[in-house]
Amino acid sequence: MTPKLYGILAEFDSPAAILAAAKTVSADGYRQWETFTPFPIHGMEQARGCRNSLVGWFALGAGGGAFVATFGLIWFANAFDYPLLVGGKPMFSPPMAFVPSYIMLVLGAAVGAFVGMLALNRLPRWHHPLLGKARFALASRDRFFLLIEAADLKFSETQTRKLLESLGGTHIELVEN
């Protein structure tokens, strides 16, 4: 069985070179590509076309749902399912239900943010094809890598290789799953 092509990896030697390459790749119409650098590079988010993360919406939904569910459970248990009159107090008191509902809102938001982060980052991923490349270990030291995935609609093995070579990429190699 032949391995499936994951993408093409190119190495760059400076932050300016990979930033220029990222801008060109983005302007060329590629959408599924990634850069790997030993430190953050100013302007890379704009070159990649990054938008705001959706993790906040996961947190809002889970936190709001936890708040409403807890509030509703307290109402159901005290005023509807088992109404027990004690000392002339009301069957349901919103101020009394707010504190545990708020605590569950915070917990739900934290869990929602965690689950959202895992889902949006496609984690856990037990193996990544780049980890099999010996030179890729330099990404945490002093080298800069740009990977264009084969799943990209514009991907063509020969044209993509030529593009990366024209941008100054070195050690261009195929990455297989």
Side-chain angles (χ1 to χ4, degrees):
M1 180 175 161
T2 57
K4 185 179 173 194
L5 183 64
Y6 183 75
I8 296 181
L9 181 70
E11 182 179 331
F12 294 87
D13 58 357
S14 71
I18 195 161
L19 183 60
K23 288 178 181 177
T24 304
V25 166
S26 181
D28 234 26
Y30 289 94
R31 295 291 167 248
Q32 293 187 3
W33 57 278
E34 187 61 67
T35 57
F36 302 92
T37 63
F39 51 82
I41 298 175
H42 181 69
M44 189 61 75
E45 299 86 17
Q46 289 81 17
R48 289 223 7 96
C50 291
R51 301 180 315 254
N52 287 336
S53 175
L54 298 175
V55 173
W57 292 104
F58 280 87
L60 178 68
F67 182 88
V68 169
T70 305
F71 210 84
L73 177 66
I74 292 171
W75 168 83
F76 177 77
N78 292 330
F80 182 77
D81 188 43
Y82 195 65
L84 186 61
L85 186 60
V86 177
K89 295 179 183 167
M91 296 294 179
F92 176 71
S93 174
M96 181 275 310
F98 180 79
V99 173
S101 298
Y102 179 75
I103 291 170
M104 292 306 291
L105 176 140
V106 173
L107 178 64
V111 170
F114 180 70
V115 169
M117 183 271 308
L118 289 177
L120 293 173
N121 289 323
R122 297 180 292 185
L123 295 175
R125 184 171 186 168
W126 305 117
H127 173 73
H128 194 282
L130 290 178
L131 298 178
K133 300 295 180 187
R135 291 198 62 83
F136 189 69
L138 298 173
S140 62
R141 295 185 196 141
D142 62 351
R143 291 293 181 199
F144 307 87
F145 292 90
L146 189 140
L147 170 77
I148 299 178
E149 295 181 18
D152 194 300
L153 295 175
K154 192 165 183 204
F155 183 85
S156 163
E157 191 175 327
T158 55
Q159 295 294 357
T160 304
R161 181 182 286 274
K162 286 179 184 175
L163 173 67
L164 291 173
E165 286 172 352
S166 71
L167 295 173
T170 59
H171 298 98
I172 299 172
E173 58 183 313
L174 296 176
V175 180
E176 297 172 343
N177 267 338

